[in-house]
Structures are given as C-alpha cells and as structure tokens.
Amino acid sequence: MGMMEKMMEYMLGRMSEEEKEEMMNKMMDKFFADITSEEKEKMMEEMMPKMMKNMMSEGKSGCEEMFKMMGEGKEGKMSMMPQMMTEMMPRCLKMMLPNLPKEKRIDFVLNMVRTLVEQGSNGMSAEEKKDFVAKVAEKVRL
C-alpha cells in the first residue's frame, strides 16, 4: 500500500459517516460541475450495468448501501444521488431488461411495479394514493 492510500485510509477511518457523506457530496458537486451533459450521459451508460449487476449479486445489502447516500442534503435540498438515480435507473432498465431471460422478466417487472407503487405512494393520504395508482395503471395500459 502506497503512502497516499495509507493517508486516505487513516483519514477516512477517523471521519464520521456524516463527514464522509458531506465530503462525497462536495466531491460529486465539483466533479459534475466540470463535465458536460454528454460526458455525464456516457458515464451513466457505462456505470449503470455494472452497478446493477453488483447490486443484484450482492442482494439487498448492496442496494441499501447505495441508497443510504440518497438522503436529503443540507437545508432540505435533494442530494446529487437521487437526481442521478432518477436519470440512471430508467436507462439501466432499458439496457438490462432485453438481456434478462423472458421467463424472469415478468417476475422482475411485477416486483418493480409493486415496489414503485408501494414506495412511490409512501406518506400519501388514501385519496392521493388512489389517484397515484390510477395514474400508474393508466400509463401501464399501453
């Protein structure tokens, strides 16, 4: 292990989870400020299949770790991770689903739709949830 790796390991070991998250958010903000939208799109196209493969192979724990970073940022602002994920997940699914065996697709899609409806309607009143489900059902009928 080189000197830089030792220093990073030492520094990260002394930081709280909040400090690590804040540092990561600052680094991501600076990184994304310097790249073009085309570069960002290319990066997402390259990263998402790998991330999804890792998340699916690691199971729930891999997803949970990644989504811990999706909390709100300072002053109630949405952090960079939710913004990225709302763009990346649909693209990833477009790339991944055609490669999934047909017999596995239906189970996966039903699970995703159920999860999207359950989590998407979280915290809604009964009336709001009813409207939400109606909108989803309308869009699903192709």
Side-chain angles (χ1 to χ4, degrees):
M1 187 182 299
M3 179 73 135
M4 183 60 97
E5 288 88 8
K6 287 181 183 177
M7 286 175 52
M8 287 301 292
E9 189 175 298
Y10 176 76
M11 287 172 40
L12 291 173
R14 296 182 59 160
M15 295 173 80
S16 70
E17 287 301 314
E18 292 80 22
E19 290 170 322
K20 288 178 190 175
E21 186 173 338
E22 184 177 339
M23 182 180 78
M24 184 66 170
N25 285 337
K26 285 180 183 176
M27 289 171 60
M28 293 290 281
D29 288 343
K30 287 180 182 180
F31 176 75
F32 284 109
D34 294 337
I35 66 171
T36 66
S37 59
E38 291 82 19
E39 290 171 319
K40 190 189 311 182
E41 187 168 327
K42 186 175 188 287
M43 181 182 70
M44 286 191 289
E45 286 174 4
E46 291 171 359
M47 286 174 47
M48 276 313 290
K50 294 174 187 171
M51 289 171 63
M52 286 303 291
K53 184 179 178 186
N54 287 340
M55 287 191 321
M56 292 177 87
S57 66
E58 292 177 21
K60 200 173 182 179
S61 64
C63 291
E64 287 173 355
E65 284 302 311
M66 189 169 91
F67 289 107
K68 279 182 188 176
M69 296 187 295
M70 289 184 64
E72 286 190 359
K74 288 184 178 175
E75 300 160 14
K77 286 179 153 179
M78 191 164 61
S79 72
M80 182 65 82
M81 188 59 110
Q83 293 170 337
M84 285 175 37
M85 291 305 292
T86 57
E87 294 174 22
M88 291 175 10
M89 289 300 291
R91 286 190 182 122
C92 178
L93 292 171
K94 286 177 184 176
M95 289 185 274
M96 183 191 80
L97 283 172
N99 298 315
L100 197 62
K102 290 178 186 177
E103 54 279 355
K104 290 189 176 193
R105 272 188 233 161
I106 187 69
D107 291 333
F108 176 77
V109 169
L110 292 172
N111 185 30
M112 286 296 292
V113 170
R114 186 183 72 245
T115 302
L116 289 168
V117 169
E118 287 174 359
Q119 296 305 310
S121 64
N122 192 353
M124 291 183 180
S125 69
E127 187 64 31
E128 290 171 323
K129 186 173 184 173
K130 183 180 173 186
D131 291 342
F132 176 78
V133 171
K135 286 178 184 175
V136 170
E138 183 180 315
K139 288 290 182 179
V140 170
R141 290 186 202 120
L142 301 174

